[in-house]
Amino acid sequence: MNEFNEYFKSAFTVDNIIFGFDEGDLKVLLINRGEEPYKGKWALPGYFVYPNEDLDTAAKRVLEELTGLQNVYLEQVRTFGAVSRHPFGRVITVAYFSLIKISHYNIQPSSIAKKAKWHSVSQVEDLAFDHKEILGACFNRLKWLVRSRPVGFELLPPKFTLTELQHLYEAILETELDKRNFRKKILSMNLLIDLDETQEGVAHRPARLYKFDKEKYEKFLAEGFSFELKESKKKEKKPRKKVRANLA
Amino acid sequence: MNEFNEYFKSAFTVDNIIFGFDEGDLKVLLINRGEEPYKGKWALPGYFVYPNEDLDTAAKRVLEELTGLQNVYLEQVRTFGAVSRHPFGRVITVAYFSLIKISHYNIQPSSIAKKAKWHSVSQVEDLAFDHKEILGACFNRLKWLVRSRPVGFELLPPKFTLTELQHLYEAILETELDKRNFRKKILSMNLLIDLDETQEGVAHRPARLYKFDKEKYEKFLAEGFSFELKESKKKEKKPRKKVRANLA
DNA sequence: TGGAATTAGTGTAAACTGTACACTAGCTTT
DNA sequence: AAAGCTAGTGTACAGTTTACACTAATTCCA
């Protein structure tokens, strides 16, 4: 297999876009570049893939070195490999994103982590390389994902209010949602556990706290449910005969 | 930038899964491997990415060498890079798929193309490497895609009947569809041009022929319409005030 | 040549889902 | 005790999806 290394000798990396949610805003962790090219610019966290390391493993390593976090939601998005995307040579990058609970994030002692800072996704401009495009692709995938599966919880603290959850969806989808319809829909998934607790220290009526029923969700997944946000656990109303599937 | 080539020196390839539609069945073009490893097994078409070649370009090259076709629908799906996916060394592969009109395909004179053969997607078993998994990922993406955008036409000849179109959707979605509902939905997209022609040489009532209105579709896309299959061109019924977006 | 065979083509009603919309409840602050 | 703030709740209408069965047009064959 000596043709290996003849055709492709360039650098191979992963970028791991780290999303968080804070102050009602979707955030992304960016690194201030300390070296050329693009010295001083903000860039997405990433690193080379080691020869004996799977891609997912490399992405997790990037995350952990930056945040100390493990067991985090991770999604591969797309691979960017335009010939001239790096001015110093050919670099091919597999883009991932991670969803973390920003409250669990502690700045790490590594030199790279010290250069990291949260930015509002909506205000990011002018990143190094083609990182703006990569961020856009990841953000779009996240938008799609949040409509398809209950991943929003990955970004919230374990206990949250429905209003917080709604603000999260609004931040990701970049739209306003109707409060009553949102609650109806979310509660109809039957994946929230009402903790029978309320907020404390707020200067108004305190809201109920909920947590995500991860066990139930994973049971559903294991049973092969596709689990769109659409699906509602209805109680066997009129079981009308269904012989054929239909579109959309 | 001498760190290049220190971390990652392995092979970098694209696979391009070529889908076609024939005899009411979704087909995939597979190559019979003439060499180790997996000699004699069926495999997905793919090749190394050249150093000065974009990923999409490499995928198009793979397609063209095999089929002679250009300007074909191409979609990047996912990158496969498990350490041990190739027994002879580290190989990272970006998986693409292409949708071609099988009637336009002519066997090419190259030696590789002579080893290519169409297989029913539903009957594929036991491919080389992790190609079964790659095929599965591409097929799933195609399923999603066909519900989101009118790409099915890429797989049909320029003139087709509604029944042919329905069979295509059924093959991709692996389900039966209701004839009347399917027609209603497809026609409500307003993207089919009724050619005022009918089939010839069939032993029953001939069906009307349609073609896909590509110009109209591209105009919509350019205007930023998301264009889900769901969208129907309704004629401004009761324009009820809408102040807020809602979920799903 | 007429009837059998085959596929094309068509509408409606009921169920379900999505959307718009406004008031009361409960807590804190002054 | 009133003002300020956010939580929490239901209903009606519009739109979409689904189930379902007969007539129409052509060829084939006896």
Side-chain angles (χ1 to χ4, degrees), chain A residues 247-248, chain B residues 26 73 75 97 99 139-155 165 168-174 177 182 186 189 227-230:
Chain A
L247 270 181
Chain B
L26 186 68
Y73 186 91
E75 173 107 356
F97 70 76
L99 304 177
F139 185 31
N140 281 335
R141 177 69 70 90
L142 176 58
K143 271 186 191 173
W144 169 78
L145 193 64
V146 90
R147 281 174 175 274
S148 320
R149 295 202 207 168
V151 294
F153 309 100
E154 306 285 348
L155 292 160
L165 186 61
L168 170 62
Y169 273 78
E170 289 175 336
I172 293 175
L173 297 174
E174 295 185 295
L177 299 170
F182 178 80
I186 289 291
M189 294 189 328
F227 228 103
E228 305 251 330
L229 204 60
K230 302 183 91 169

Side-chain angles (χ1 to χ4, degrees), chain A residues 1 3-5 7-12 35 47-55 76-83 86 88-92 94 141 144 147 169 173 175-179 181-182 185-186 229-230 244-248, chain B residues 1 3-5 7-12 35 47-55 76-83 86 88-92 94 141 144 147 169 173 175-179 181-182 185-186 229-230 244-248:
Chain A
M1 207 63 182
E3 36 185 355
F4 275 32
N5 297 339
Y7 283 112
F8 194 82
K9 291 199 177 183
S10 304
F12 191 76
E35 54 193 31
Y47 203 69
F48 296 97
V49 176
Y50 298 140
N52 58 351
E53 182 184 48
D54 287 345
L55 301 179
Q76 192 195 108
V77 176
R78 188 144 66 84
T79 297
F80 293 80
V83 170
H86 194 301
F88 291 0
R90 183 84 192 261
V91 183
I92 288 174
V94 184
R141 177 70 71 92
W144 170 79
R147 281 173 176 274
Y169 274 77
L173 298 173
T175 182
E176 273 181 63
L177 299 170
D178 179 88
K179 182 160 68 161
N181 294 341
F182 178 78
K185 178 132 244 172
I186 288 292
L229 205 60
K230 303 182 90 171
R244 295 176 166 175
N246 268 62
L247 270 181
Chain B
M1 208 61 184
E3 35 185 356
F4 274 33
N5 296 339
Y7 283 112
F8 193 82
K9 291 197 175 181
S10 305
F12 191 76
E35 53 193 32
Y47 204 68
F48 297 97
V49 177
Y50 298 139
N52 57 351
E53 183 183 46
D54 287 345
L55 301 179
Q76 192 195 109
V77 177
R78 188 144 67 85
T79 297
F80 293 80
V83 170
H86 194 302
F88 290 1
R90 182 82 191 260
V91 183
I92 287 173
V94 183
R141 177 69 70 90
W144 169 78
R147 281 174 175 274
Y169 273 78
L173 297 174
T175 182
E176 273 181 63
L177 299 170
D178 178 88
K179 182 161 67 161
N181 294 340
F182 178 80
K185 178 132 245 173
I186 289 291
L229 204 60
K230 302 183 91 169
R244 297 176 163 175
N246 269 62
L247 268 180

Side-chain angles (χ1 to χ4, degrees), chain B residues 31-42:
Chain B
I31 311 287
N32 198 267
R33 282 184 65 82
E35 53 193 32
E36 295 296 343
Y38 298 102
K39 187 169 178 176
K41 291 258 185 219
W42 294 98

